[in-house]
Amino acid sequence: MKRFLRGLGAAMVITYASSSFAIDANGAKTFVDKVATQVIAIAKDSNASKEAKQKRIEAIFSDKVDINFVAKFVLGKHWREATPKQQQDYLAAYKPFILKNYANKLTKYSGQTYVLKNPHMEDDIAVVTMEIDDPASGNKINVDYRLADGAGKYRINDIVVEGVSLLTTQRSEFASIIEQHDVDYLIAALQKQVSALASAN
Amino acid sequence: MKTIVIKKILPVVASALALVACATHDNNDDPLEGFNRGMFAFNRGVDTYLIRPIAWGYRAITPQVVRDHVGNVSDNLYEPLSMVSAFLEGDIQQGMVNFWRFTINTTVGLGGINDVATTAGLKARTEDIGQAFASWGIDSGPYLVLPILGPSNGRDAVGRVAGWFANPVTYAVDDTWTSVGIAAGQGLVERERLLDPIDDVYSSSLDPYASFRSIYNQRRKAQINNLHSGEDKHRL
């Protein structure tokens, strides 16, 4: 019996491993390049309104960013402490919050070019550095995209700008809000911000 | 006069460092949060009604090309302190890069107006006394919001004071008000560069105080580890 179980375990590992899609550094680079090209094409489209651009960029990010992972990560230990109802409300509020924030920034695109550098693996995370060249100011900014395998596809987990991680920053921000108030307050604040961003456009 | 100042200041700096070098701190560890939030609110007021409008005005009345050259002059004046700091870190190579950048840009680059050193392959990287302290193993100490200057920590605040006295520019100028003027000018150049990133944080963060604290801590860590060395034109 014991032997059977061990065999079964091994068989499951093998099946899992063979069916699992493995991410690699070069694949990640191609992925980032493709997403960036898509986003820039939308941002550059002079025929589209800002609202339309924003919607299209939100759709790309919704597909390419592992929002459920990010949402849980930034809530940290408070995710486990939250009730199922709170978790549900939080996820529902977080998704439009993060999408609107990202898309809002990206519609401000103004002719920057990029080079992708140094794709490499850090354990099971693929890291691709985007060196953004701003022709207006002549400044170079390094942005690291951290990608993971999300259900058989490349998914963006974190964006690190000059050493500053969006995940880490947001986790601190949310922890600070929950320490001062509670999870319900955070959820309400997210909802409020979403409607403010929506009406601002 | 200057030696007396150094004799008086050094022991103060040393004991201040001993005070801050107590424990390690994670991102949200903030024993002085009450004081810091008060100072943050004060700074935000000063920024909203005074500093940010000046930075906007500066952007509005100057074309980008002028700001680039003014920025180059400002950056060039950081090089001597970067050099001293790099030497204090024991990074002789980096110190020499800062030395040659300053020498080349001041002469060939016409007083720093043109950053010819970067074109020549000497990449820009700023170092400061806080980073030198960190390289000696001194812990950051508590997070600290300074009046006007903004996010800092015990170690970096002491580093700023020490940097004033370790900066060769202070002695070359040899006039306190001129030095203060240069520092204010550099601050304005920096504030203009950060107009959009800072506006972004305010518009997207639900707790800007916590966001800036986290960003400062991460950014300092990256600078201390010289992440993406050579690419760093932005200071924070």
Side-chain angles (χ1 to χ4, degrees), chain A residues 136 162 165 169 173 176 193, chain B residues 37 64 203 206-207 218-219:
Chain A
E162 290 288 345
S165 145
T169 308
E173 177 190 337
S176 172
Q193 181 90 338
Chain B
R37 279 195 186 265
Q64 180 74 49
S203 70
L206 303 172
D207 184 351
Q218 292 180 66
R219 189 76 193 103

Side-chain angles (χ1 to χ4, degrees), chain A residues 13 26 34 44 48 50 63 65 73 103 138 141 198:
Chain A
V13 168
N26 281 322
K34 218 170 111 186
K44 266 169 134 173
K50 186 170 185 266
D63 185 40
V65 178
F73 181 90
I141 300 161

Side-chain angles (χ1 to χ4, degrees), chain B:
Chain B
M1 167 60 191
K2 285 277 154 58
T3 43
I4 297 167
V5 170
I6 289 173
K7 267 185 199 156
K8 276 189 179 165
I9 290 293
L10 273 183
V12 177
V13 167
S15 49
L17 275 178
L19 270 177
V20 301
C22 290
T24 30
H25 301 276
D26 71 21
N27 234 337
N28 270 17
D29 193 357
D30 189 356
L32 307 175
E33 184 162 352
F35 166 83
N36 284 338
R37 279 195 186 265
M39 192 53 79
F40 180 81
F42 169 78
N43 284 346
R44 192 172 180 185
V46 174
D47 188 61
T48 306
Y49 294 106
L50 185 69
I51 299 173
R52 188 174 174 281
I54 295 174
W56 262 114
Y58 168 56
R59 177 178 282 188
I61 60 169
T62 51
Q64 180 74 49
V65 62
V66 170
R67 289 199 301 279
D68 285 349
H69 290 307
V70 172
N72 285 343
V73 172
S74 168
D75 290 345
N76 192 47
L77 287 170
Y78 276 118
E79 299 286 355
L81 180 61
S82 289
M83 177 191 76
V84 171
S85 306
F87 286 149
L88 288 173
E89 286 170 26
D91 192 343
I92 305 300
Q93 197 185 341
Q94 179 58 39
M96 290 314 288
V97 167
N98 293 120
F99 171 78
W100 284 113
R101 281 183 55 81
F102 182 72
T103 306
I104 294 170
N105 283 339
T106 304
T107 54
V108 185
L110 306 173
I113 293 172
N114 297 305
D115 181 7
V116 283
T118 297
T119 321
L122 291 170
K123 287 184 174 176
R125 189 169 101 199
T126 48
E127 299 289 333
D128 55 61
I129 304 293
Q131 291 184 55
F133 287 159
S135 78
W136 300 348
I138 294 169
D139 179 73
S140 68
Y143 179 70
L144 185 64
V145 180
L146 300 174
I148 314 294
L149 301 171
S152 188
N153 57 46
R155 179 196 63 214
D156 294 343
V158 176
R160 272 192 180 262
V161 176
W164 179 269
F165 293 97
N167 192 345
V169 174
T170 310
Y171 300 94
V173 170
D174 200 27
D175 176 72
T176 307
W177 286 110
T178 311
S179 296
V180 170
I182 291 172
Q186 288 177 313
L188 177 63
V189 166
E190 220 41 56
R191 185 63 189 88
E192 187 277 330
R193 284 177 179 163
L194 292 172
L195 275 171
D196 298 322
I198 290 177
D199 284 356
D200 260 358
V201 175
Y202 279 125
S203 70
S204 63
S205 174
L206 303 172
D207 184 351
Y209 170 82
S211 297
F212 281 117
R213 179 179 61 197
S214 177
I215 290 168
Y216 181 78
N217 288 337
Q218 292 180 66
R219 189 76 193 103
R220 282 305 274 174
K221 212 167 155 189
Q223 284 176 326
I224 288 160
N225 297 330
N226 293 324
L227 196 81
H228 296 312
S229 53
E231 313 294 345
D232 173 19
K233 258 203 136 181
H234 279 287
R235 296 161 50 88
L236 197 82

Side-chain angles (χ1 to χ4, degrees), chain A residues 3-201:
Chain A
R3 229 173 126 174
F4 168 76
L5 279 179
R6 210 179 284 157
L8 183 68
M12 280 167 69
V13 168
I14 290 164
T15 324
Y16 177 74
S18 60
S19 68
S20 148
F21 138 100
I23 65 169
D24 64 84
N26 281 322
K29 191 180 161 190
T30 313
F31 173 86
V32 171
D33 201 22
K34 218 170 111 186
V35 175
T37 312
Q38 281 178 340
V39 171
I40 290 175
I42 295 170
K44 266 169 134 173
D45 185 353
S46 49
N47 294 324
S49 68
K50 186 170 185 266
E51 206 176 13
K53 287 181 190 179
Q54 175 117 6
K55 277 230 161 68
R56 284 160 70 194
I57 293 175
E58 277 180 35
I60 291 181
F61 269 81
S62 159
D63 185 40
K64 308 299 182 197
V65 178
D66 195 343
I67 295 178
N68 277 339
F69 165 83
V70 175
K72 287 174 197 170
F73 181 90
V74 295
L75 207 56
K77 64 171 183 187
H78 303 292
W79 171 260
R80 292 184 300 276
E81 289 164 2
T83 64
K85 168 87 169 71
Q86 282 174 325
Q87 290 184 346
Q88 202 185 337
D89 291 348
Y90 166 75
L91 283 180
Y94 184 80
K95 191 172 174 175
F97 168 79
I98 196 74
L99 287 176
K100 288 211 185 310
N101 262 331
Y102 278 154
N104 201 27
K105 279 174 194 149
L106 286 159
T107 48
K108 290 178 189 156
Y109 173 84
S110 56
Q112 294 89 344
T113 54
Y114 69 88
V115 198
L116 297 178
K117 291 168 36 171
N118 188 28
H120 65 278
M121 298 295 295
E122 283 175 17
D123 299 323
D124 50 358
I125 301 285
V127 185
V128 182
T129 301
M130 179 183 278
E131 188 187 276
I132 301 172
D133 202 346
D134 183 5
S137 65
N139 283 324
K140 284 189 170 134
I141 300 161
N142 279 293
V143 180
D144 283 353
Y145 288 84
R146 299 178 62 85
L147 297 104
D149 172 0
K153 281 177 181 169
Y154 285 96
R155 284 285 176 271
I156 299 167
N157 266 5
D158 194 7
I159 302 178
V160 184
V161 183
E162 290 288 345
V164 178
S165 145
L166 289 177
L167 247 68
T168 306
T169 308
Q170 206 160 58
R171 193 176 177 144
S172 303
E173 177 190 337
F174 286 9
S176 172
I177 291 166
I178 295 170
E179 272 162 32
Q180 295 170 75
H181 308 279
D182 54 24
V183 174
D184 291 324
Y185 181 93
L186 173 70
I187 295 167
L190 287 169
Q191 289 163 343
K192 212 175 121 195
Q193 181 90 338
V194 169
S195 44
L197 281 167
S199 61
N201 287 310

